Amino acid sequence: MPSQDDILKAKILVVDDSSDNIDLMLEILRDAGYTSVSSTMKPEQVCPLHREHCYDLILLDLQMPELNGFQVMKGLKEIEQGGYLPVLALTAQPSFKIAALEAGARDFISKPFDLLEVHKRIHNMLEVRLLYKELAQYSKQQQELALHDPLTGLPNRRLLEDRISNVLQHAERNCGKAAIMYLDLDGFKAINDTYGHSCGDEILKMVAKRLVGASRKEDTVARIGGDEFVIVLGSLSGLGDAREPASKLVEIVSEAYFINDLTLKLSTSIGISIYPDDADNVETLIGLADAALYQAKRAGKNRFCCTSSGVAGGPRTVKSAMPSIA
């Protein structure tokens, strides 16, 4: 639940065509301890101001010349787009109360103002508004957690597959190619078994940082479980465009890791598949890159292998390469 301090710091906008009414409401709010209060006598400014400041509460007079409160609420609905419309209607007309609620206002205050009613309705509405924002933020965080690896912050398999689909669609539209790199860390299990999982977790975070740093901004680096990572490269002209980054990644991962007083070494094996040369769908491309990865393991580790198509309909072969060491 929002704290009293959060409620008093909430952003409030007072909208009325009467300067006396505005002065009175500002005095009421400030005397109650609200610290972020502003006002306008121009209803046409409400929507632009709300876009800029995202108010927690808009105290809106319904009867104003040129643009009335109902018209203002219609514009606010387009900004909130299904969200919580933070409007508390101000009206001296009893018949407007139900109409205001039907138009989207969450509550109303009758004129002339009753001080106790004003305080209670404003406090209650702000409490609900801030709670709604907390829940919306929580929902966003949950969505992020559902799409990202909690240890490294990298995209997980679910988001990875979506990213690959987008890259393949772009490659198809532009008659280009894309690459899937499937990485597995050589020697990681021994580090985990010898120094513990906390040390292993630090290694994984450091590896993730190195992979991201060595990749282009437009590429996707994902962790799909354990010590396995996948990198998606788009806008390629062919397999050659994937060889250099793969060699670079092998070298970067094999550099020493310093954790507390420990200096640890490991390496990586990488399998590469190419769209559309090897396959034209996400699942198959990942599977072929995985197969090439294990061929790299069998060939001695600390290297990359590329899947390439043989004779149409025939078996697939894997080409292996060690990185060049300067």
Side-chain angles (χ1 to χ4, degrees):
M1 290 290 290
S3 67
Q4 181 66 14
D5 188 53
D6 290 334
I7 292 173
L8 292 176
K9 290 179 179 178
K11 291 182 287 186
I12 302 174
L13 177 67
V14 181
V15 186
D16 203 303
D17 63 322
S18 166
S19 59
D20 289 341
N21 285 342
I22 283 183
D23 289 342
L24 176 58
M25 186 57 72
L26 291 179
E27 183 179 356
I28 290 172
L29 291 167
R30 287 166 181 161
D31 286 349
Y34 293 100
T35 60
S36 183
V37 183
S38 54
S39 65
T40 181
M41 294 177 62
K42 298 179 179 180
E44 67 274 11
Q45 291 183 346
V46 175
C47 288
L49 285 171
H50 186 51
R51 284 193 185 94
E52 181 179 355
H53 300 288
C54 191
Y55 294 106
D56 299 306
L57 178 62
I58 299 175
L59 295 161
L60 178 65
D61 184 25
L62 295 180
Q63 291 178 285
M64 294 179 289
E66 298 181 9
L67 195 67
N68 63 42
F70 296 100
Q71 293 168 310
V72 172
M73 280 191 282
K74 184 177 180 180
L76 290 171
K77 281 183 178 180
E78 295 177 2
I79 298 173
E80 292 290 333
Q81 295 183 344
Y84 185 92
L85 196 65
V87 171
L88 184 55
L90 308 176
T91 180
Q93 299 293 328
S95 61
F96 281 4
K97 294 177 181 178
I98 299 302
L101 296 176
E102 291 176 343
R106 293 294 168 175
D107 203 348
F108 57 82
I109 295 175
S110 300
K111 293 181 181 181
F113 300 138
D114 176 274
L115 193 58
L116 183 60
E117 177 190 19
V118 170
H119 285 314
K120 196 63 178 175
R121 291 186 186 274
I122 288 175
H123 181 279
N124 288 350
M125 189 166 162
L126 281 172
E127 191 173 58
V128 173
R129 168 67 168 179
L130 296 179
L131 180 59
Y132 181 90
K133 289 174 70 174
E134 284 182 5
L135 292 174
Q137 183 63 30
Y138 176 77
S139 177
K140 183 178 179 181
Q141 291 172 347
Q142 291 299 106
Q143 185 178 24
E144 286 295 308
L145 288 174
L147 297 175
H148 290 82
D149 168 49
L151 178 65
T152 64
L154 297 178
N156 61 16
R157 180 181 286 273
R158 180 180 172 187
L159 181 55
L160 170 68
E161 292 178 354
D162 182 68
R163 295 277 181 87
I164 295 175
S165 295
N166 290 336
V167 169
L168 299 191
Q169 290 171 13
H170 183 270
E172 182 180 13
R173 286 195 302 268
N174 294 277
C175 299
K177 298 181 186 293
I180 308 298
M181 293 186 180
Y182 203 127
L183 293 76
D184 181 271
L185 301 181
D186 309 321
F188 178 74
K189 185 178 184 302
I191 291 176
N192 240 358
D193 293 344
T194 303
Y195 301 104
H197 289 282
S198 61
C199 181
D201 286 348
E202 288 303 312
I203 288 284
L204 291 173
K205 288 189 283 188
M206 294 170 75
V207 168
K209 186 175 181 179
R210 291 186 187 185
L211 297 181
V212 171
S215 301
R216 302 175 302 179
K217 289 184 178 180
E218 63 267 30
D219 297 335
T220 293
V221 181
R223 180 187 177 213
I224 59 174
D227 59 340
E228 295 183 334
F229 298 82
V230 170
I231 300 177
V232 187
L233 294 79
S235 303
L236 305 182
S237 59
L239 175 59
D241 289 343
R243 288 180 176 273
E244 183 177 346
S247 179
K248 180 180 177 182
L249 291 170
V250 170
E251 291 183 19
I252 287 174
V253 172
S254 66
E255 293 175 0
Y257 296 83
F258 302 100
I259 301 177
N260 297 326
D261 296 329
L262 298 173
T263 301
L264 303 174
K265 296 278 288 185
L266 50 73
S267 61
T268 187
S269 299
I270 304 175
I272 305 172
S273 62
I274 301 294
Y275 168 90
D277 299 8
D278 300 322
D280 60 2
N281 64 83
V282 174
E283 184 177 355
T284 305
L285 284 166
I286 293 176
L288 289 173
D290 188 23
L293 160 66
Y294 282 96
Q295 182 62 29
K297 292 275 192 184
R298 288 190 291 270
K301 304 179 181 179
N302 193 33
R303 68 190 64 216
F304 64 88
C305 289
C306 309
T307 300
S308 61
S309 300
V311 179
R316 294 188 176 274
T317 60
V318 179
K319 297 178 181 179
S320 176
M322 285 284 289
S324 57
I325 306 296

